[in-house]
Every structure is written in C-alpha cells, then in structure tokens.
Amino acid sequence: MNAPVRSSHLFEQIHEILWGKILQGEIEPTQRLKDVEWAAKLGVSRTPVREAMRKMQQEGILIPLNQGGYEVRSVTMTDLHDLYRCRSALEVQAVREAAEHFGPKVAKHFTSLIRMTDQAIERNDLDRVLALNSEFHRDLIEQSGNVHLPGLCETIRKLTLFYRTALLNRAKADARRKKDYVQRLKAKQKEHRAIIKALTEQDGEKAASLMQSHLLQTAQHMELES
C-alpha cells in the first residue's frame, strides 16, 4: 500500500484515504479500525491517523469502542431515514435557489448526466450509475450558488454513499435484488428528468417539491433493498 505524501495536512489525506476505502467497500460496516494498524499500513505515525479517525467519529461514520479503536457504523434503517430527512432539507433549499439562474447551458450539463446514467444502466455498470447519481446531486447543490450548502452537505453526501454502497454490494451479490435495484434506478431517472424540467422552467417551488419527494421515496426504496 502506498503511503500518502507527507505534509502539514497529512491527517486530511489519511481521512480521505479511509473514507475512500469505506465507500469502495474495502472497509465494511461493523469492521474494527485501530490507529496503530493503519499507521503501519500507511507508513506514518499514529498521530495523523488518530486525528483522521477522530474527525470520522465527528462525521458519524466511526463509533469509538470502550476497549480502544473504532467500529465502522452499521447500516440501520433508522439512521438511513434520519439521514435522508436532513439531506432533503438541504437539497430542497439548493434546488429552490438554483432555479433562479438555471440557464440552457446548465440544463444541458444535467441532461448529459442523466443520459450518461441511462447508458450506464443499460450496460449494467451499477458502480458508474452510483457515481453519476452522486455527481448529479452534488452539482445541483453547487448550482445553488449558496457558498454554505456544499460544505454542509458534504458529510451527508459521504454517509449517503456509505449506505448506498453497502446496499449496492448486496444487490450485486443476488440476482433478484439486482433486478429490483435496476428497476428502481430507472424510476429515479424519470424523477431526475422532472426536477431538471422544473428548474429549466425556473419553477423553484415545483423543483423543491419534486426533490423532497424524490429523496424521501429513495430512503423508502433503500429500506426495501436492505
């Protein structure tokens, strides 16, 4: 394993490395992490690893253990619904603000994302679909022009990806789950198109209502996938 480049912000690099491994499924829910072990794997001292893990505890992905070290949060439906309610409140505001300056060039970008997602679904490339869906929502938040929203949404975005990755891995391992998962993806594409149509028409309230319904229904569908 390659060690991260040493710098004054080493703990931030380690933080991103650990998050990446969680989102890629290399570190799984309920898995135990120890700073001493990861310091050895990454070829660094324990201090930046400890700092990175403390930050991840604050973000809600790691749970401290009484005997030392951390455990990766498990995937529970209660946590999932709580997370999506928070996410809905922020993204609803984002699309409401984005509608004020959603021109043809911006609409073309999102239409292209939706088209690429359709193509990834047809190729059965579910990892690519997940990445494109994440990009769709992240770009909408940035399009709001509200400088505070991207930072507020970042931890929620990562936690959402954590849950979605765990459920995707289950779907890929079971033919029936996978078929149902793909059908729900196609339905979500229609919802994405409706949101972009409302934004193109600069109807912020309609876009906000559609986004709220989209996210809360997604949480319900994810419960079915669990």
Side-chain angles (χ1 to χ4, degrees):
M1 181 180 297
N2 294 330
V5 177
R6 287 164 172 75
S7 75
S8 59
H9 302 293
L10 180 57
F11 91 92
E12 294 178 354
Q13 297 177 48
I14 295 170
H15 171 267
E16 290 303 312
I17 288 171
L18 293 177
W19 256 114
K21 292 186 176 299
I22 288 172
L23 295 179
Q24 292 163 15
E26 295 180 35
I27 298 176
E28 299 180 341
T30 74
Q31 184 172 330
R32 184 175 176 181
L33 304 182
K34 292 184 178 180
D35 56 17
V36 63
E37 293 177 356
W38 278 95
K41 288 179 180 180
L42 297 173
V44 298
S45 69
R46 292 176 64 184
T47 299
V49 178
R50 190 180 302 118
E51 291 176 354
M53 289 183 175
R54 283 174 181 165
K55 183 176 180 180
M56 295 174 77
Q57 177 190 346
Q58 294 171 353
E59 292 170 327
I61 189 64
L62 295 185
I63 300 171
L65 300 174
N66 292 332
Q67 64 270 38
Y70 295 87
E71 181 180 281
V72 180
R73 181 174 292 279
S74 61
V75 178
T76 72
M77 291 304 106
T78 298
D79 287 341
L80 178 66
H81 284 288
D82 288 346
L83 178 65
Y84 265 81
R85 279 192 288 269
C86 293
R87 180 179 173 184
S88 174
L90 292 170
E91 291 201 35
V92 162
Q93 182 60 28
V95 296
R96 185 178 284 120
E97 296 184 23
E100 298 173 7
H101 39 82
F102 203 88
K105 184 177 180 180
V106 177
K108 184 177 180 181
H109 167 70
F110 285 98
T111 300
S112 176
L113 280 178
I114 292 171
R115 184 172 60 254
M116 287 190 291
T117 306
D118 285 337
Q119 293 168 351
I121 291 173
E122 291 304 314
R123 295 196 308 270
N124 217 22
D125 188 350
L126 301 186
D127 292 308
R128 179 62 175 160
V129 173
L130 181 59
L132 287 167
N133 276 333
S134 178
E135 185 176 351
F136 176 91
H137 285 273
R138 187 189 65 236
D139 287 358
L140 272 180
I141 291 166
E142 292 179 354
Q143 189 59 37
S144 71
N146 186 323
V147 296
H148 302 289
L149 278 173
L152 290 171
C153 292
E154 181 60 15
T155 295
I156 292 177
R157 184 186 72 82
K158 287 181 177 178
L159 287 170
T160 299
L161 276 173
F162 164 66
Y163 282 99
R164 292 207 65 89
T165 299
L167 293 176
L168 173 57
N169 288 339
R170 293 179 190 176
K172 289 193 293 187
D174 182 287
R176 181 188 61 80
R177 284 178 183 267
K178 186 175 182 180
K179 181 179 179 180
D180 292 343
Y181 184 91
V182 169
Q183 289 305 311
R184 280 191 275 270
L185 286 177
K186 292 179 179 178
K188 294 304 169 187
Q189 286 289 91
K190 294 181 181 178
E191 294 169 12
H192 281 183
R193 286 189 172 87
I195 291 168
I196 296 306
K197 183 176 185 295
L199 286 170
T200 302
E201 296 168 353
Q202 296 190 324
D203 190 341
E205 291 308 313
K206 182 177 181 180
S209 177
L210 289 168
M211 178 60 80
Q212 182 177 50
S213 176
H214 169 68
L215 289 173
L216 295 181
Q217 286 182 17
T218 296
Q220 293 174 353
H221 291 160
M222 288 173 70
E223 185 170 359
L224 295 174
E225 294 164 10
S226 64

